[in-house]
Amino acid sequence: SQKIEQNSEALNIQEGKTATLTCNYTNYSPAYLQWYRQDPGRGPVFLLLIRENEKEKRKERLKVTFDTTLKQSLFHITASQPADSATYLCALTSGGSYIPTFGRGTSLIVHP
Amino acid sequence: SAVISQKPSRDICQRGTSLTIQCQVDSQVTMMFWYRQQPGQSLTLIATANQGSEATYESGFVIDKFPISRPNLTFSTLTVSNMSPEDSSIYLCSVGPSGETQYFGPGTRLLVL
């Protein structure tokens, strides 16, 4: 069956360090992959989208990589700040579909 | 992008009652989506609502339990019927105007006693 795996344990890092979150998937042929941020009591907010033929995408302090051979995406936040503390969700959309399937998300806690 | 509002933001309901959640978008969109997010779980799609036609429900969700209305291109409602404590969850509406990125409302936090 199709599965999206994100680390259920919270990631704790110190301010200024690079946070790296992982999204692994099985039995998918995604056309693209997205990362969202979700703060407590709020809906997810779109951050970045990367397509199957792209290796890397950057936006300010954010970087996403996409390895369709390893079936994995890495999400990096450089120079992390306490304001980056949130839950980060990855979402996969298969070719021919317009509806993403979401992972459970990983909580990031950046300590000052 | 799209700005989405939901009402109510939260509610506490008694078992056996029903709650209707409203979702308003600041622009016209073809499809609106309703999700459920249970504590510690991923977002689960309940149904897709198209204006002028019946909603399309995902496996495990039925119209009798989650009736949806879509009277125009900027508004939709989701009703959670005959509620039980298992329906306690966050309910989110979203739109995907570009066909790729999804924009979410702030969610409705429901507690059923």
Side-chain angles (χ1 to χ4, degrees):
Chain A
S1 62
Q2 294 179 324
K3 189 183 289 187
I4 301 172
E5 293 183 349
Q6 293 187 257
N7 197 337
S8 59
E9 289 187 17
L11 176 64
N12 286 272
I13 64 168
Q14 286 298 124
E15 182 175 10
K17 301 292 186 184
T18 296
T20 299
L21 305 175
T22 304
C23 176
N24 295 300
Y25 60 92
T26 55
N27 297 323
Y28 266 103
S29 294
Y32 50 90
L33 183 148
Q34 302 172 64
W35 284 89
Y36 290 78
R37 168 181 173 145
Q38 187 173 23
D39 291 285
R42 295 180 168 256
V45 174
F46 169 76
L47 296 175
L48 279 169
L49 179 151
I50 187 165
R51 301 183 191 283
E52 60 176 334
N53 59 350
E54 297 176 316
K55 297 286 187 194
E56 182 179 298
K57 190 72 80 72
R58 291 175 185 260
K59 179 182 176 183
E60 298 172 353
R61 293 186 296 113
L62 308 180
K63 184 178 84 171
V64 173
T65 63
F66 194 11
D67 189 326
T68 55
T69 301
L70 289 179
K71 297 187 184 301
Q72 180 182 80
S73 174
L74 299 178
F75 177 77
H76 307 272
I77 305 176
T78 58
S80 60
Q81 305 164 1
D84 295 326
S85 299
T87 296
Y88 291 86
L89 309 173
C90 84
L92 294 172
T93 305
S94 299
S97 174
Y98 45 78
I99 302 173
T101 302
F102 287 83
R104 292 187 180 186
T106 299
S107 175
L108 171 66
I109 302 170
V110 182
H111 299 275
Chain B
S1 67
V3 178
I4 303 171
S5 59
Q6 283 185 237
K7 289 182 185 178
S9 59
R10 58 177 63 224
D11 207 341
I12 300 174
C13 300
Q14 295 298 316
R15 181 195 300 260
T17 62
S18 298
L19 176 72
T20 295
I21 302 168
Q22 299 179 8
C23 178
Q24 179 77 50
V25 189
D26 69 342
S27 57
Q28 293 185 340
V29 292
T30 304
M31 289 183 288
M32 296 177 74
F33 306 94
W34 286 98
Y35 286 85
R36 181 174 73 183
Q37 187 176 32
Q38 294 177 310
Q41 303 297 312
S42 63
L43 280 73
T44 302
L45 182 66
I46 297 171
T48 302
N50 292 321
Q51 195 267 336
S53 63
E54 281 201 7
T56 302
Y57 289 82
E58 297 298 305
S59 176
F61 298 96
V62 294
I63 188 170
D64 290 345
K65 176 67 175 176
F66 297 101
I68 287 171
S69 79
R70 183 77 203 275
N72 58 53
L73 291 173
T74 62
F75 187 79
S76 178
T77 66
L78 170 77
T79 299
V80 187
S81 303
N82 188 24
M83 289 185 285
S84 67
E86 292 70 36
D87 294 319
S88 298
S89 187
I90 299 172
Y91 291 85
L92 295 149
C93 79
S94 77
V95 301
S98 70
E100 293 179 339
T101 304
Q102 295 239 328
Y103 298 94
F104 287 85
T108 296
R109 189 179 296 268
L110 171 63
L111 176 63
V112 184
L113 302 177

